[in-house]
Amino acid sequence: RIKFDKKQAMLGLNGGAKMKSWVLLADYKDCALERNSVAFYLGQQILGSDGYYCSDFRQVEVYLNNLYWGVYLLAEQQQVNANRINVTEPDDNYTGTDIGYFVEYDGYYQLEKYGERFSSNHGEGYSIKNDVYENENYPEYPAAGNAGRYPQKKFIQNYINNLYTICSGAVKKQYKTFNSGYTALVNYRPSTSQPVQETVSKVIDIQSLVDMYIHCEIACDADIGWSSFFMDVDFGAGANDNLLRFEAPWDFDSAFGFKVGDVADGNGIYAAPRNPWLRLFMDEDWFMNMVKDKWHEMRDAGVQEGTLKLIRTMQTNYSDAYNRNFDKWGFRISDEATWEVQSSVHNHTDAVNQLYSWVQARFKYLNSVWL
């Protein structure tokens, strides 16, 4: 993470918006150096087309004190910000619960050095990603007399757990919803012919989950059931609704058929069964119909062709930079790579060709399922 003293733009990312915090991703694990770029491109095309956030990106070469450090991916910090996760930011020392919350489903939540985290009733746990918690000056356990952020932590923990109960109950035809303060559950009587969808749509921005599911199902990222899965909700005075949104996809250097345990040949449903939020609705016809509708929209917009073109364009445009990077660090294949990668990839050209072929096969398989 790079944090400047003053807000500034970085190479035109995010429309030239000026912000203090940016990120350099090493992508050292990915011998093609392009997986995160492909993921961010897909995120912008899929989630971005519906108004949801995904980091902008650009490959760069990094020099520090005139020393060359290779190719990195310049991206945006995952944070609450009007140009990023646009939810209500609390003022310093504000302890009210009527704020925006940016949360990660996070298998490493217990290892977070700073910041708030909480366990759930349906999976591993969560980390609260609002910047106010992400610094060493915020005490994990405030001293007596310091209210800290306990009311906010307790509220969002209770909210997430209750919301999951609403959704998991709805698919079992047990209908609940929130009370007016979003602190407890009350019985709910659906009034339409789609009671599950009606119940869920009162608490979740369903289109955001549809988009996130498609993105995750393309990528087949091993972290999908573990971490780097983000959501947010806004209870601030200016919020349009209080729906949980899924956006800000992140961390795909092991995705797209790279890591052992992934879909090596591009075939098969991967993401939905592995994530507690996605598997809720994978057997719901109304949800899968929304997935198919979005997939048709993506096809008509040329997203598949654009993704494959991006892989080749980066390979051509950055060939000299890639060569300099591997001259610096050497070419290596991670021990986490599948047998297919280990056996077929011997240099960067092979790595890009393998990525291209896998993404092409993945699109072909999902076309057979969703078209």
Side-chain angles (χ1 to χ4, degrees), residues 27-45:
D27 279 341
Y28 77 96
K29 187 189 301 182
D30 172 19
C31 50
L33 296 178
E34 295 187 0
R35 281 174 165 80
N36 268 315
S37 296
V38 171
F40 287 147
Y41 172 81
L42 282 167
Q44 291 177 347
Q45 301 305 309

Side-chain angles (χ1 to χ4, degrees), residues 71-91:
V71 172
Y72 285 72
L73 187 65
L74 178 64
E76 300 184 63
Q77 173 70 17
Q78 300 280 80
Q79 64 178 163
V80 174
N81 183 289
N83 294 300
R84 291 170 178 168
I85 301 299
N86 188 17
V87 297
T88 303
E89 287 193 82
D91 294 329

Side-chain angles (χ1 to χ4, degrees), residues 254-265:
S254 295
F256 301 103
F258 183 77
K259 191 172 182 178
V260 173
D262 288 356
V263 181
D265 60 0

Side-chain angles (χ1 to χ4, degrees), residues 207-228:
Q207 189 63 54
S208 71
L209 187 60
V210 166
D211 291 0
M212 185 67 86
Y213 169 52
I214 291 173
H215 186 271
C216 292
E217 199 61 81
I218 297 172
C220 297
D221 183 32
D223 287 340
I224 185 61
W226 181 250
S227 66
S228 301

Side-chain angles (χ1 to χ4, degrees), residues 42 45-46 49-50 207 210-219 256 266 269 287-305 307 358-371:
L42 282 167
Q45 301 305 309
I46 301 169
S49 64
D50 288 320
Q207 189 63 54
V210 166
D211 291 0
M212 185 67 86
Y213 169 52
I214 291 173
H215 186 271
C216 292
E217 199 61 81
I218 297 172
F256 301 103
I269 295 299
F287 184 81
M288 295 312 300
N289 286 337
M290 291 181 68
V291 169
K292 293 174 182 178
D293 288 344
K294 182 65 179 184
W295 191 254
H296 277 263
E297 177 187 316
M298 289 169 51
R299 179 199 60 178
D300 294 343
V303 173
Q304 297 182 32
E305 294 83 357
T307 305
W358 189 94
V359 172
Q360 191 174 46
R362 189 63 181 159
F363 284 146
K364 182 179 179 180
Y365 170 77
L366 293 176
N367 283 337
S368 73
V369 176
W370 289 341
L371 289 183

Side-chain angles (χ1 to χ4, degrees), residues 1 47 49 55-56 62 70 73 110 116 134 138 204 227 241 251 258 276 302 351 362:
R1 179 176 182 174
L47 288 97
S49 64
S55 172
D56 204 354
V62 173
L73 187 65
Q110 291 180 318
E116 288 290 7
E134 294 289 306
Y138 172 70
I204 281 182
S227 66
D241 57 51
D251 192 9
F258 183 77
R362 189 63 181 159

Side-chain angles (χ1 to χ4, degrees), residues 243-276:
L243 301 179
L244 184 70
R245 284 182 176 79
F246 297 84
E247 52 186 339
W250 190 256
D251 192 9
F252 293 89
D253 57 351
S254 295
F256 301 103
F258 183 77
K259 191 172 182 178
V260 173
D262 288 356
V263 181
D265 60 0
N267 295 323
I269 295 299
Y270 179 86
R274 289 169 167 79
N275 180 277

Side-chain angles (χ1 to χ4, degrees), residues 109-280:
Y109 76 109
Q110 291 180 318
L111 303 179
E112 292 283 354
K113 186 175 181 181
Y114 307 114
E116 288 290 7
R117 61 216 186 229
F118 59 88
S119 59
S120 70
N121 60 7
H122 57 271
E124 291 291 340
Y126 294 83
S127 302
I128 302 176
K129 294 302 181 184
N130 300 52
D131 272 0
V132 69
Y133 310 116
E134 294 289 306
N135 65 78
E136 60 187 4
N137 296 319
Y138 172 70
E140 180 181 351
Y141 299 106
N146 184 344
R149 296 298 190 271
Y150 282 131
Q152 296 164 358
K153 174 182 174 180
K154 184 177 181 180
F155 175 84
I156 192 63
Q157 178 179 24
N158 185 59
Y159 167 82
I160 291 288
N161 284 336
N162 279 335
L163 189 147
Y164 196 88
T165 297
I166 291 172
C167 295
S168 58
V171 298
K172 301 173 185 176
K173 309 300 187 287
Q174 301 167 1
Y175 303 115
K176 300 278 188 180
T177 195
F178 283 110
N179 65 359
S180 60
Y182 290 87
T183 57
L185 298 181
V186 295
N187 291 327
Y188 178 69
R189 180 176 293 179
S191 59
T192 67
S193 59
Q194 289 287 354
V196 179
Q197 183 177 5
E198 177 188 338
T199 302
V200 173
S201 67
K202 290 179 68 68
V203 295
I204 281 182
D205 184 326
I206 298 175
Q207 189 63 54
S208 71
L209 187 60
V210 166
D211 291 0
M212 185 67 86
Y213 169 52
I214 291 173
H215 186 271
C216 292
E217 199 61 81
I218 297 172
C220 297
D221 183 32
D223 287 340
I224 185 61
W226 181 250
S227 66
S228 301
F229 189 77
F230 292 90
M231 58 203 76
D232 55 86
V233 62
D234 197 353
F235 292 98
N240 293 326
D241 57 51
N242 304 125
L243 301 179
L244 184 70
R245 284 182 176 79
F246 297 84
E247 52 186 339
W250 190 256
D251 192 9
F252 293 89
D253 57 351
S254 295
F256 301 103
F258 183 77
K259 191 172 182 178
V260 173
D262 288 356
V263 181
D265 60 0
N267 295 323
I269 295 299
Y270 179 86
R274 289 169 167 79
N275 180 277
W277 292 96
L278 299 179
R279 64 173 171 255
L280 279 173

